[in-house]
Amino acid sequence: SAMECDDVTETASVHSYRSASVRSVKKPQNDNARPVSKLRPKKPILQNESETVLAVTKMLASKRGDAAIITDESGGLAGIITDTDVTRRVVAKQLPASSTR
């Protein structure tokens, strides 16, 4: 360290000074801050693979979601569709959302 200390007392006072200066720094308050224990993730949006893109996007819009889990006939995972997927793979290619699966 840059400081030379002759005895334990000086070391303790330097340590106390540093600790006090760290404690005096105030964090900005965030009125929207919540502890992690209070965060509750949304339930996943599930849709069957037989649904059209239009039906899935309507569900996403009504639930204010940005992704849905697509399940097969037995309830297993068939895939995930996101709003970006719809934009790039359906809208940008001008495919009909009412008949695209």
Side-chain angles (χ1 to χ4, degrees):
S1 108
M3 293 181 57
E4 293 283 333
C5 297
D6 291 334
D7 63 10
V8 176
T9 307
E10 287 183 30
T11 304
S13 66
V14 169
H15 178 67
S16 296
Y17 171 75
R18 287 183 183 159
S19 297
S21 66
V22 170
R23 275 189 242 123
S24 66
V25 174
K26 290 186 179 182
K27 294 180 182 176
Q29 274 191 327
N30 182 351
D31 294 331
N32 296 325
R34 293 183 286 170
V36 173
S37 62
K38 298 292 181 187
L39 297 176
R40 297 191 182 182
K42 294 179 185 177
K43 290 183 179 180
I45 299 170
L46 301 174
Q47 289 287 294
N48 190 286
E49 66 184 348
S50 64
E51 293 291 340
T52 64
V53 171
L54 182 61
V56 174
T57 55
K58 283 184 175 184
M59 177 63 72
L60 289 174
S62 71
K63 302 279 186 178
R64 300 186 68 174
D66 53 8
I69 296 173
I70 307 301
T71 58
D72 59 20
E73 292 177 9
S74 64
L77 178 65
I80 298 172
I81 187 169
T82 66
D83 52 359
T84 303
D85 291 333
V86 174
T87 302
R88 291 181 181 168
R89 298 177 183 185
V90 179
V91 176
K93 294 180 180 178
Q94 298 180 344
L95 298 175
S98 60
S99 62
T100 303
R101 296 190 195 288

